[in-house]
Amino acid sequence: MNRRAGRAVLLAVVALHLVADNALSPFYPQLFAGLFGVTDLSATGTYVWACRAAALLALPLWGLASRRWAAHHLVVAGLLASSVLDLAVAFAPTYAVFTVLSVALVATTTSMALAYPALVALGDGGHLTEVRSFAVVTQVATIVATLVGAGIMALPSVRPGLAAFALVDLVLAWCCHRILGGRRGVAPFAVVTRPAAEGRPAVLRAVALVALVVLVAEVGRSVVRPFFTAYAGAAGLGGLTAALLFLLPSVAVLAVLPFAAAARRWLGRALLPAAFLLAAAGLAVQAVDAHLAVFVAGRLLFGAGLGFGYLALDLWVFAATRAEGSAFAAVETARSAALLLSPVVATGAATVALSLPLIVGAAVFTVLAVVLAADRRPTPTPPLEETRVTQPVR
């Protein structure tokens, strides 16, 4: 198997997952009004909650399935099912049918989350290259998703734009099967293992700990998102300026990723708490002063902290989960739980003051940084060359 082609197709799956999940998220009120005449904003909240709940429930099931079937087979199955559901969603006659079909679609697309540990397992023993590639694709896909969503909404009818995702699903399913699904060659979705002396209870504790950190960190990141543009607007900034500021952390992430290896060599295990402190400082700056120049500086600091922090955190995730599908799905379930919790926290904070979600996010990252810095246990990301790939595809 061509490992370079395998990485490319897996990164394409990751990108599709992110774009499909995020493209229309800023436009749901307009979408529901245009397609179904539904103008009640609670319809958007219900739809988003139902889809996130579906992801939370489906992820553990896909993780359990990965213990029996090779993950690339599950990704292909998810893509094929998604192609059918994409067409059904595109031509749904009512809001209720659209919501039910979307919930089913989210349940199938969560299989694509397994592409990330599969990408790591394709590496040569070191995770940094794959994790950094994933981070780049994530940030680029976030920007592309906004553009794709705006393009779909600008069409005379949005239904063909929604249906186009079905074609992309089919193309990627074919590529995954063609490149990763052959009977010959190196196992593309092997499991990264450590010495057998490390017992299962220790592995479970490691997975549970990193899942908890991921949940809390995701709350810190996500709680600042729903009301950011409203906060910027209240500070006198225009809609376009607020949108550009919203995307600025993604630009900062891309800017710092080339320095990730050097930062990891220099700081070692201190990289994660240092990055979280940087993110906290960026959020605090935005909450204290809403002038444009201060906003820009705060957004860039926040993005730089996220870039270094999530890279270090993902390295910890794969050290704990061994890039194994079911363990990784458990961590991703914690991330999905944070996406359900964050809007509730954000709404409660924003009703007090629009700047309060930023303060909450800063407090979350500060507490995480202090706790992680005080942890004297062995580093959660051991030397990557100590891992080895042993398990064949089933």
Side-chain angles (χ1 to χ4, degrees), residues 77-90:
L79 285 166
L80 292 175
S82 297
S83 67
V84 175
L85 289 168
D86 275 326
L87 283 176
V89 166

Side-chain angles (χ1 to χ4, degrees), residues 335-371:
R335 199 187 306 272
S336 295
L339 293 178
L340 276 177
L341 178 63
S342 297
V344 178
V345 177
T347 302
T351 56
V352 178
L354 286 174
S355 62
L356 192 54
L358 294 166
I359 296 172
V360 170
V364 167
F365 281 119
T366 300
V367 171
L368 271 178
V370 171
V371 170

